[in-house]
Amino acid sequence: MYEQQDSLEFDYSGISLPLKQKVENLPQKPGVYMHKNADGDVIYVGKAKKLKNRVRSYFQSSRPHDGRIKSLVSKIVDLEVIVTDSEAEALILENTLIKKYRPKYNVMYRDDKSYPYICVTQGERPRIFPTRVVIKNGSKYYGPYDNAGLMYRMLEIIRESFNFCTCACSPKSIDQSKGIPRWHSCFNEYFNACSGDWEQERYQTAINRAIRLLNGRTEELIRELKEEMQMASQCLEFEQAAKIRDGIIGLQKYSEKMKMVLPDLIDRDVFAVYADMEENVACGVLFKIRQGKMMGKHSRIIKQIEGLTEADILQSFVEEYYTGSTAGIIPDEILISTELSDDGALFEYLISEKGKKVSIQVPKIGEKAQMIRLAQTNAKHTVGEFHLEKMKEETERIPHSVKALQRDLYLDRMPRRIECFDNSNFQGTDPVASMVCFVDGVPKKSEYKRFTIKTVEGPNDFASMAEIVTRRYSRVMQEKQHIPDLIIVDGGKGQLSSAVEALKEIGFYGQVPIIGLAKRLEEVFFPGKSDSIMLPKTSSGLKLIQRVRDEAHRFAITYHREKRSKRTFLTELEEIPGIGKVTSEKLLKAFGSVKQVQEASLEKLKETVGGKAAQAIQEYFGNSK
């Protein structure tokens, strides 16, 4: 893909000379590169088979880039690379650096610290216990479990089958005054037979069996325990044989509950993704199949997928799983929902970990394809749940004042987006109006609108209100813009009635509740009702609409003053012989004020309006030289 790059054209116009030299001197070796912005922050981490070719591709003028990559390239100020011995090493290092720096332009995974895991510690006497925190201290983590109940069931099987303690006790959990754990569920049950007192050989055997169970080797364990039980019986160790028998029964019950999904006994991992490009989020789902039975399901929400293909997303999900600390054993076969975009490094890594080639397939028909479709269905469902959770979080974040306003005005829906209108003029001159927008009780100034009244002559607030409401919501309907949850007009019955009639004429009335707020007594008027209502003075809902109204008034007054000031300047400039309205506006745009025009040199004026007009301006202000 990048072998012929020396003959290609590269655009380095947007980067510094030192960075260009750094890029051009990169080695053609595998490694990891880190793009940095002006603040020195790592904004992207990537891996490459040949560093120079890969990094140069970002600046290849003929190579099409999506908006995400263009934005990334525009912010690259510096570069750091780490050369590795192989693509597999680069893959592992890339994953580590992404988790360390969490770069803005890399695919981001939803934080999974709350997922339950089973931890197996290192050392001569490893411990097995449940946890929700993954610590990089050499321990092995199994999971994450989508369902905590499944994790606790697995721990119970380990206890029943191997008599091995799986409590989460640690020195910090010991009650120093009593010398016992603060949590007694395990302590009371295993007081007389805690595995902590076992001899090393027995302890290590139990640990090895627990790890094999966690890796899905259920049938092997059952066969092994049956042989051990027979030997104990032959040696007349009937009590020991009975304990082993109980363990076998526990394992058999667990094995029977595991769903047989494929007829053969091959260990498989099944990966699939579902992407919602409109919401910029995807979900990856993994089915762990061991000896033909479903061991468990793991899903991850994947964010920032703009500009990525389904193959890119799937590859990121698969690589992130296998290079993480919770991958478990590498299976014999991996099924994926679509071809990966660049699987070279992954192949190399899996072979190095497994010790032999791992088959990666994209099944199209049969039972394997059915498993892929099931995984995709689960992924789509998880994305739907994520959206519902997000909506719930947004609802819970709604300020109390917005909720209070809905209650006080008896509104059917939460007034999360409020649009408020106000007029401003001085003795009928320079009539203008404003619209401000509040979202969740906070001004959203990017949505503010200013209006110059066009169809009304003289001081007529009612007609002015009708005009701006008509213009605003006609455009909203034509362009299918987001409609508000509440419309407020500054004024009493008259302004409200004019706005209502305008909305009726354009067919918008009834889609959004509308109220009028009179200044004098802070009365709230509703359409069709002669009497106003008075909200409690202590209501946070009243304070919200007052704040919205005051902001609309401020915005309108500011615009009116700007218009009047500009008109005054224009009038003064238009008094100069040969200078009309168009030239006056041109001068003000170029110099900013009448004073700056007055002080401008003849040469500057000539550049703006020509020699004759420039001479007239200087003669008028008495500055002719």
mmCIF file of all heavy atoms in Angstrom, residues 594-610:
data_model
loop_
_atom_site.group_PDB
_atom_site.id
_atom_site.type_symbol
_atom_site.label_atom_id
_atom_site.label_comp_id
_atom_site.label_asym_id
_atom_site.label_seq_id
_atom_site.Cartn_x
_atom_site.Cartn_y
_atom_site.Cartn_z
ATOM 1 N N VAL A 594 -16.323 57.333 12.501
ATOM 2 C CA VAL A 594 -16.159 58.607 11.814
ATOM 3 C C VAL A 594 -14.821 59.243 12.205
ATOM 4 O O VAL A 594 -14.138 59.851 11.374
ATOM 5 C CB VAL A 594 -17.331 59.555 12.158
ATOM 6 C CG1 VAL A 594 -17.105 60.933 11.554
ATOM 7 C CG2 VAL A 594 -18.646 58.980 11.664
ATOM 8 N N LYS A 595 -14.438 59.079 13.477
ATOM 9 C CA LYS A 595 -13.183 59.647 13.940
ATOM 10 C C LYS A 595 -11.997 59.059 13.183
ATOM 11 O O LYS A 595 -11.066 59.776 12.793
ATOM 12 C CB LYS A 595 -13.030 59.389 15.441
ATOM 13 C CG LYS A 595 -11.785 60.048 16.036
ATOM 14 C CD LYS A 595 -11.697 59.788 17.531
ATOM 15 C CE LYS A 595 -10.446 60.457 18.096
ATOM 16 N NZ LYS A 595 -10.307 60.211 19.548
ATOM 17 N N GLN A 596 -12.027 57.743 12.957
ATOM 18 C CA GLN A 596 -10.940 57.098 12.214
ATOM 19 C C GLN A 596 -10.912 57.546 10.756
ATOM 20 O O GLN A 596 -9.839 57.687 10.153
ATOM 21 C CB GLN A 596 -11.098 55.571 12.278
ATOM 22 C CG GLN A 596 -10.909 54.972 13.668
ATOM 23 C CD GLN A 596 -9.496 55.154 14.177
ATOM 24 O OE1 GLN A 596 -8.527 55.128 13.413
ATOM 25 N NE2 GLN A 596 -9.377 55.369 15.484
ATOM 26 N N VAL A 597 -12.099 57.816 10.187
ATOM 27 C CA VAL A 597 -12.168 58.346 8.820
ATOM 28 C C VAL A 597 -11.541 59.734 8.790
ATOM 29 O O VAL A 597 -10.777 60.092 7.885
ATOM 30 C CB VAL A 597 -13.630 58.394 8.324
ATOM 31 C CG1 VAL A 597 -13.716 59.100 6.974
ATOM 32 C CG2 VAL A 597 -14.195 56.985 8.221
ATOM 33 N N GLN A 598 -11.872 60.511 9.789
ATOM 34 C CA GLN A 598 -11.352 61.889 9.878
ATOM 35 C C GLN A 598 -9.828 61.903 9.981
ATOM 36 O O GLN A 598 -9.165 62.775 9.408
ATOM 37 C CB GLN A 598 -11.969 62.586 11.096
ATOM 38 C CG GLN A 598 -11.535 64.036 11.273
ATOM 39 C CD GLN A 598 -12.199 64.682 12.483
ATOM 40 O OE1 GLN A 598 -13.097 64.118 13.078
ATOM 41 N NE2 GLN A 598 -11.752 65.878 12.822
ATOM 42 N N GLU A 599 -9.256 60.965 10.690
ATOM 43 C CA GLU A 599 -7.817 60.948 10.931
ATOM 44 C C GLU A 599 -7.038 60.176 9.862
ATOM 45 O O GLU A 599 -5.804 60.164 9.881
ATOM 46 C CB GLU A 599 -7.536 60.335 12.304
ATOM 47 C CG GLU A 599 -8.075 61.172 13.458
ATOM 48 C CD GLU A 599 -7.891 60.491 14.800
ATOM 49 O OE1 GLU A 599 -7.475 59.303 14.791
ATOM 50 O OE2 GLU A 599 -8.167 61.126 15.834
ATOM 51 N N ALA A 600 -7.732 59.533 8.944
ATOM 52 C CA ALA A 600 -7.056 58.707 7.936
ATOM 53 C C ALA A 600 -6.264 59.565 6.959
ATOM 54 O O ALA A 600 -6.636 60.711 6.646
ATOM 55 C CB ALA A 600 -8.083 57.869 7.187
ATOM 56 N N SER A 601 -5.167 59.014 6.466
ATOM 57 C CA SER A 601 -4.341 59.723 5.484
ATOM 58 C C SER A 601 -5.034 59.710 4.126
ATOM 59 O O SER A 601 -5.929 58.884 3.858
ATOM 60 C CB SER A 601 -2.979 59.047 5.376
ATOM 61 O OG SER A 601 -3.102 57.751 4.815
ATOM 62 N N LEU A 602 -4.593 60.621 3.258
ATOM 63 C CA LEU A 602 -5.176 60.706 1.915
ATOM 64 C C LEU A 602 -4.954 59.399 1.157
ATOM 65 O O LEU A 602 -5.841 58.924 0.440
ATOM 66 C CB LEU A 602 -4.556 61.895 1.156
ATOM 67 C CG LEU A 602 -5.126 62.169 -0.245
ATOM 68 C CD1 LEU A 602 -6.616 62.514 -0.160
ATOM 69 C CD2 LEU A 602 -4.356 63.303 -0.929
ATOM 70 N N GLU A 603 -3.791 58.794 1.342
ATOM 71 C CA GLU A 603 -3.480 57.552 0.630
ATOM 72 C C GLU A 603 -4.428 56.424 1.048
ATOM 73 O O GLU A 603 -4.933 55.661 0.210
ATOM 74 C CB GLU A 603 -2.028 57.133 0.892
ATOM 75 C CG GLU A 603 -0.965 58.001 0.216
ATOM 76 C CD GLU A 603 -0.840 59.386 0.867
ATOM 77 O OE1 GLU A 603 -1.304 59.539 2.032
ATOM 78 O OE2 GLU A 603 -0.327 60.310 0.203
ATOM 79 N N LYS A 604 -4.705 56.303 2.346
ATOM 80 C CA LYS A 604 -5.605 55.260 2.842
ATOM 81 C C LYS A 604 -7.024 55.466 2.329
ATOM 82 O O LYS A 604 -7.725 54.524 1.976
ATOM 83 C CB LYS A 604 -5.608 55.248 4.370
ATOM 84 C CG LYS A 604 -4.328 54.724 4.993
ATOM 85 C CD LYS A 604 -4.235 53.213 4.808
ATOM 86 C CE LYS A 604 -3.006 52.656 5.525
ATOM 87 N NZ LYS A 604 -2.861 51.206 5.310
ATOM 88 N N LEU A 605 -7.444 56.748 2.322
ATOM 89 C CA LEU A 605 -8.790 57.043 1.827
ATOM 90 C C LEU A 605 -8.905 56.713 0.346
ATOM 91 O O LEU A 605 -9.925 56.189 -0.119
ATOM 92 C CB LEU A 605 -9.127 58.510 2.077
ATOM 93 C CG LEU A 605 -9.325 58.915 3.551
ATOM 94 C CD1 LEU A 605 -9.436 60.431 3.670
ATOM 95 C CD2 LEU A 605 -10.584 58.249 4.112
ATOM 96 N N LYS A 606 -7.850 57.032 -0.427
ATOM 97 C CA LYS A 606 -7.875 56.736 -1.859
ATOM 98 C C LYS A 606 -8.004 55.237 -2.116
ATOM 99 O O LYS A 606 -8.709 54.809 -3.027
ATOM 100 C CB LYS A 606 -6.597 57.264 -2.521
ATOM 101 C CG LYS A 606 -6.563 58.771 -2.729
ATOM 102 C CD LYS A 606 -5.257 59.187 -3.421
ATOM 103 C CE LYS A 606 -5.231 60.694 -3.680
ATOM 104 N NZ LYS A 606 -3.972 61.094 -4.351
ATOM 105 N N GLU A 607 -7.338 54.437 -1.287
ATOM 106 C CA GLU A 607 -7.417 52.985 -1.441
ATOM 107 C C GLU A 607 -8.834 52.472 -1.225
ATOM 108 O O GLU A 607 -9.232 51.457 -1.788
ATOM 109 C CB GLU A 607 -6.483 52.292 -0.443
ATOM 110 C CG GLU A 607 -5.005 52.494 -0.739
ATOM 111 C CD GLU A 607 -4.126 51.875 0.340
ATOM 112 O OE1 GLU A 607 -4.703 51.209 1.242
ATOM 113 O OE2 GLU A 607 -2.895 52.049 0.297
ATOM 114 N N THR A 608 -9.607 53.198 -0.421
ATOM 115 C CA THR A 608 -10.958 52.736 -0.063
ATOM 116 C C THR A 608 -12.033 53.286 -1.000
ATOM 117 O O THR A 608 -12.902 52.534 -1.473
ATOM 118 C CB THR A 608 -11.290 53.129 1.387
ATOM 119 O OG1 THR A 608 -10.274 52.633 2.262
ATOM 120 C CG2 THR A 608 -12.642 52.569 1.818
ATOM 121 N N VAL A 609 -11.989 54.618 -1.284
ATOM 122 C CA VAL A 609 -13.100 55.220 -2.041
ATOM 123 C C VAL A 609 -12.645 55.959 -3.300
ATOM 124 O O VAL A 609 -13.473 56.567 -3.998
ATOM 125 C CB VAL A 609 -13.887 56.187 -1.135
ATOM 126 C CG1 VAL A 609 -14.565 55.441 -0.013
ATOM 127 C CG2 VAL A 609 -12.968 57.277 -0.565
ATOM 128 N N GLY A 610 -11.355 55.960 -3.591
ATOM 129 C CA GLY A 610 -10.885 56.668 -4.785
ATOM 130 C C GLY A 610 -10.404 58.074 -4.482
ATOM 131 O O GLY A 610 -10.676 58.641 -3.413
#
